[in-house]
Amino acid sequence: MSYRSGYVALVGEPNVGKSTLLNALLGQKLSIVTPKPQTTRHKIAGILTGSGYQVVFLDTPGLIDPRYALQEVMMSSASEAIGEADIVLFLADAGRKDALESIKGSRTLREFAGAGEKRPVILVLNKIDLLRKHELLPLIGAVSAAFPFKEIFPVSALKGDNLEELRGAIVKYLPEGNQYYPEDYLSDRDERFFAGEIIREEIFKIFREEIPYSTTVEIEEFRDSDTERKTFIRGVIYVGKESQKGIIIGKSGASLKSVGQNARRQIERLIGHEIFLELFVKVEKEWREDKEKIRRLGYR
Ligand code: GDP
Ligand code: MG
């Protein structure tokens, strides 16, 4: 049999479980997952290589109406991913009471995967662990009547239910093609990038309301020690206002310290050895409103 390869875009509203699904399909934690919506800001490729195939998954920020400049950049990276995709995986949260309405009313489905669309669109009904069995079949019936999905897969990305079947379907619809990346690549991003994402994830876990959304992280230095198996990492946490800086640092530095401790553990798990992590907080005034600053802070 010939080799199959292609790009698969993961799309759907914020919080439906796109990043969780990506991590589960890859068997590795790549994309940041938190209970707060819109934590994924960058387009991240996750690479799954099996015998005779390679899938490049594109995890995208949820498609929402842009309210500030950062969101516009996030949106365009999502539509870009859909543009590049051979297969579109549209995710919905089956646990939501309005699951059917949210699929029917989805602008993304209409705009990017509507009539005339030749690429297969697979519906992933995620979070079925939150649903009772008798609720599932009617939902599947109703959504299949509403939109010509190639396939519909009820899954639980969290519990790992039905993921093998989903993976099989994805491979089935992959076009013939060459291997894009070496076999042992998990992502198109490097450890330095993921170190920044992990720090950002910790900020999302610890702080509330606007703080996480006003924050971005830049890794200024990522350097292996010459003498020991240790990596030195210096990260800068950028916030938009002076007042936010104090909040991130916390009383006697306590909050920043716990961000650092948690992030260090996670980064060590990712790269497989000890790190030395230094974190600073800087104010980059209203960076989210400024496309130039957004670009400079690493969003492409
Ligand atoms: P994204 O914004 O679409 O990338 O969503 P995330 O992957 O960040 O997930 C959002 C939230 O939904 C997190 O709290 C996840 O733990 C949770 N979640 C994801 N998949 C499942 C699932 O299959 N079942 C349940 N119960 N929760 C899930
Ligand atoms: Mg995400």
Side-chain angles (χ1 to χ4, degrees):
M1 218 184 80
S2 56
Y3 200 83
R4 293 177 179 278
S5 65
Y7 286 84
V8 175
L10 291 166
V11 299
E13 284 179 32
N15 239 19
V16 294
K18 298 178 293 297
S19 300
T20 308
L21 181 69
L22 174 66
N23 294 335
L25 286 169
L26 297 179
Q28 184 101 8
K29 189 172 164 191
L30 268 193
S31 203
I32 78 172
V33 179
T34 74
K36 301 192 178 89
Q38 291 178 53
T39 45
T40 309
R41 282 187 193 153
H42 303 271
K43 198 173 71 178
I44 299 170
I47 302 158
L48 177 68
T49 310
S51 79
Y53 69 89
Q54 184 170 67
V55 192
V56 183
F57 289 101
L58 302 170
D59 185 14
T60 62
L63 291 154
I64 31 130
D65 293 325
R67 251 180 296 136
Y68 42 85
L70 175 63
Q71 288 189 338
E72 269 178 48
V73 175
M74 288 164 62
M75 285 263 297
S76 67
S77 86
S79 23
E80 211 180 280
I82 296 172
E84 290 167 12
D86 297 297
I87 302 171
V88 177
L89 280 196
F90 185 84
L91 265 81
D93 180 344
R96 264 170 56 175
K97 287 252 171 331
D98 62 345
L100 177 62
E101 288 69 32
S102 80
I103 296 166
K104 276 184 168 171
S106 166
R107 235 179 67 193
T108 316
L109 266 187
R110 273 205 307 276
E111 282 179 18
F112 298 105
E117 177 61 62
K118 286 182 198 69
R119 293 168 301 177
V121 181
I122 298 177
L123 174 67
V124 178
L125 288 173
N126 190 30
K127 309 198 188 180
I128 53 163
D129 54 292
L130 300 176
L131 217 66
R132 268 169 287 168
K133 275 229 164 64
H134 69 267
E135 296 173 310
L136 188 58
L137 276 179
L139 179 60
I140 293 175
V143 290
S144 58
F147 190 87
F149 294 107
K150 268 275 185 266
E151 310 254 357
I152 298 175
F153 281 92
V155 308
S156 168
L158 197 68
K159 303 255 149 86
D161 293 338
N162 234 5
L163 297 184
E164 274 314 307
E165 290 77 359
L166 174 61
R167 195 193 327 226
I170 293 167
V171 174
K172 185 172 105 186
Y173 289 108
L174 280 182
E176 285 183 14
N178 299 321
Q179 194 175 318
Y180 293 103
Y181 296 92
E183 249 138 59
D184 56 349
Y185 272 41
L186 261 176
S187 175
D188 61 335
R189 307 290 191 138
D190 56 12
E191 289 172 341
R192 180 186 183 124
F193 169 81
F194 285 109
E197 288 291 285
I198 287 169
I199 297 165
R200 219 158 60 73
E201 180 175 34
E202 288 309 321
I203 294 166
F204 265 94
K205 283 187 196 156
I206 291 178
F207 301 100
R208 279 162 213 294
E209 290 158 20
E210 271 299 293
I211 294 287
Y213 300 100
S214 314
T215 302
T216 191
V217 175
E218 187 174 54
I219 302 297
E220 283 195 341
E221 195 179 351
F222 191 101
R223 177 173 54 81
D224 289 329
S225 155
D226 301 328
T227 49
E228 14 167 24
R229 229 171 110 73
K230 204 167 185 174
T231 304
F232 291 93
I233 302 173
R234 188 171 64 243
V236 179
I237 299 170
Y238 285 99
V239 290
K241 290 189 187 99
E242 199 60 48
S243 60
Q244 294 166 337
K245 182 175 168 176
I247 296 173
I248 299 265
I249 293 171
K251 217 173 162 192
S252 330
S255 303
L256 185 61
K257 194 171 161 195
S258 69
V259 169
Q261 280 173 342
N262 296 342
R264 180 172 53 75
R265 253 178 263 129
Q266 297 256 11
I267 297 168
E268 286 179 342
R269 206 176 307 149
L270 174 79
I271 67 180
H273 60 248
E274 257 184 84
I275 65 162
F276 181 79
L277 178 63
E278 228 179 0
L279 286 180
F280 297 94
V281 187
K282 287 186 189 165
V283 180
E284 184 66 61
K285 261 192 131 190
E286 306 299 344
W287 69 272
R288 286 193 318 185
E289 315 289 345
D290 184 331
K291 285 209 168 135
E292 187 44 47
K293 285 184 179 171
I294 292 170
R295 239 189 306 278
R296 226 184 319 123
L297 289 169
Y299 295 93
R300 38 179 214 202

